[in-house]
Amino acid sequence: MTARGIVIAIGEWNAHEWADAVHAADPSRRLWLWPDVGDAADIGYALVWRPPAGVFARLRNLRAVFSLGAGVDHLVFRDDLPDVPIVRVVDADLTQRMVEWVVLQVLMHHRRQRTYDAQQRARQWHELEQPAAREVRVGIMGMGVLGRAAAAVLVGLGFDVAGWSRRPSTAPGVRDFHGAAELGAFLARTDILVSLLPLTRETRGILNMGLLRQLARDGKLGGPVLINAGRGGLQVEADIVAALHAGVLAGASLDVFETEPLPAESPLWGREDVVITPHCAAASTAVALVPGMMRQIATFEAGGALANVVDRGAGY
């Protein structure tokens, strides 16, 4: 008999919330919460986020693994990953949440909101010079589903938007840069750098001083800005702090960090030119994501193909 059951292994998240959503979508499926899996013979699917060690060793009839977050680096770098499809979450709700966060951060830096916040605390009334959106060059690293969606809104607001990816991409109103050979030209025309890259062996630590020094120095904002909602492993935080201190960066918005939660001793906390949010830009919610995953499983069992399967060679 083909395994149809589901196990949920999601570390520190509330597993019962996800179990309730699975049961609501398909009450007929047997469901286990790790580590309570019995002999695991009927488990065909694993819904995971940073699953504990030893999860996959017991799932001998596993057919597919679903990552419950946008990133899959918590899976693809594991030595015990089974030889079954790994499915990324691509969902309209998650995409919308990320777009909201990215656009909010771009507008906060564009409209000098942090400076106005400081002026309010000091009871100062002083209007700052404000460039038009068309005069500000936004560059998005990572033109996947999230990058293209954010670019579309920023283009609609009038920003001069470009995208950079490993391979060519097309998006209305967005200038395309791709590959290592075009990265320098992309950075040189960027005032606000938005990173939505996946974490791979090639991208780990890419947001370092060498890259930040290549950003545009002639922009209307008085200096370039870094926005990272991709993965914490993309950034070298010591370099970001040094770049802010030296004026290489004028500001930053960070939702992800090398160590999470961000340690209390991190110098990023005390900087008024840095916006810090606790990895919440595109929070995964069971009620939004589970129905789509259950539809995927039903299609798969009917002989169809799984969508958004991870390319293990590429790492995303």
Side-chain angles (χ1 to χ4, degrees):
M1 180 179 176
T2 302
R4 296 184 67 253
I6 294 174
V7 65
I8 298 173
I10 54 177
E12 70 276 10
W13 288 4
N14 182 351
H16 294 283
E17 175 187 349
W18 292 84
D20 290 346
V22 170
H23 182 73
D26 186 351
S28 71
R29 294 219 180 239
R30 296 187 67 187
L31 181 64
W32 291 265
L33 304 183
W34 181 266
D36 182 18
V37 296
D39 67 7
D42 190 40
I43 295 176
Y45 308 97
L47 277 53
V48 304
W49 179 252
R50 296 180 179 172
V55 169
F56 299 120
R58 296 176 60 183
L59 307 180
R60 58 186 181 276
N61 294 326
L62 199 63
R63 303 172 68 187
V65 176
F66 289 79
S67 174
L68 301 184
V72 294
D73 50 283
H74 66 108
L75 288 172
V76 296
F77 294 130
R78 292 176 65 123
D79 294 331
D80 63 345
L81 194 62
D83 186 20
V84 299
I86 310 299
V87 181
R88 294 183 296 113
V89 168
V90 176
D91 180 83
D93 179 77
L94 187 149
T95 299
Q96 177 66 22
R97 291 169 186 262
M98 179 62 80
V99 170
E100 290 172 357
W101 189 90
V102 168
V103 173
L104 171 65
Q105 303 309 317
V106 169
L107 289 174
M108 284 179 63
H109 292 285
H110 169 59
R111 296 305 302 254
R112 316 295 178 90
Q113 188 59 50
R114 297 293 274 186
T115 301
Y116 282 125
D117 288 343
Q119 289 184 185
Q120 180 178 344
R121 289 191 293 271
R123 302 182 182 230
Q124 295 177 345
W125 182 282
H126 175 64
E127 183 177 356
L128 302 170
E129 180 182 354
Q130 181 59 58
R134 65 180 180 276
E135 299 176 288
V136 176
R137 299 162 295 183
V138 179
I140 300 176
M141 295 183 78
M143 289 296 288
V145 172
L146 300 179
R148 291 195 303 272
V153 175
L154 293 169
V155 168
L157 289 171
F159 288 99
D160 180 358
V161 182
W164 180 84
S165 296
R166 193 176 69 159
R167 294 185 292 265
S169 65
T170 58
V174 179
R175 183 179 174 187
D176 173 57
F177 294 83
H178 56 272
E182 296 185 2
L183 178 58
F186 164 80
L187 295 170
R189 53 80 57 209
T190 295
D191 302 311
I192 299 178
L193 178 64
V194 178
S195 172
L196 294 173
L197 290 167
L199 180 60
T200 68
R201 290 179 177 84
E202 291 74 27
T203 63
R204 184 175 293 277
I206 193 172
L207 301 177
N208 54 40
M209 182 65 84
L211 181 141
L212 299 175
R213 287 191 182 279
Q214 296 179 64
L215 292 168
R217 312 302 309 169
D218 59 348
K220 296 288 187 177
L221 298 182
V225 170
L226 170 65
I227 297 173
N228 184 20
R231 312 302 295 167
L234 299 171
Q235 65 195 29
V236 179
E237 284 159 26
D239 284 7
I240 293 173
V241 172
L244 290 162
H245 183 72
V248 172
L249 284 177
S253 289
L254 306 174
D255 183 59
V256 291
F257 301 90
E258 293 177 77
T259 300
E260 295 183 0
L262 182 65
E265 62 270 18
S266 170
L268 290 167
W269 283 114
R271 299 198 63 96
E272 291 196 355
D273 49 7
V274 177
V275 177
I276 291 173
T277 56
H279 203 149
C280 63
S284 298
T285 63
V287 67
L289 300 185
V290 165
M293 286 185 284
M294 299 308 295
R295 287 192 295 271
Q296 278 235 62
I297 290 174
T299 298
F300 179 61
E301 291 179 341
L306 292 167
N308 307 310
V309 175
V310 172
D311 178 342
R312 297 196 190 199
Y316 57 90

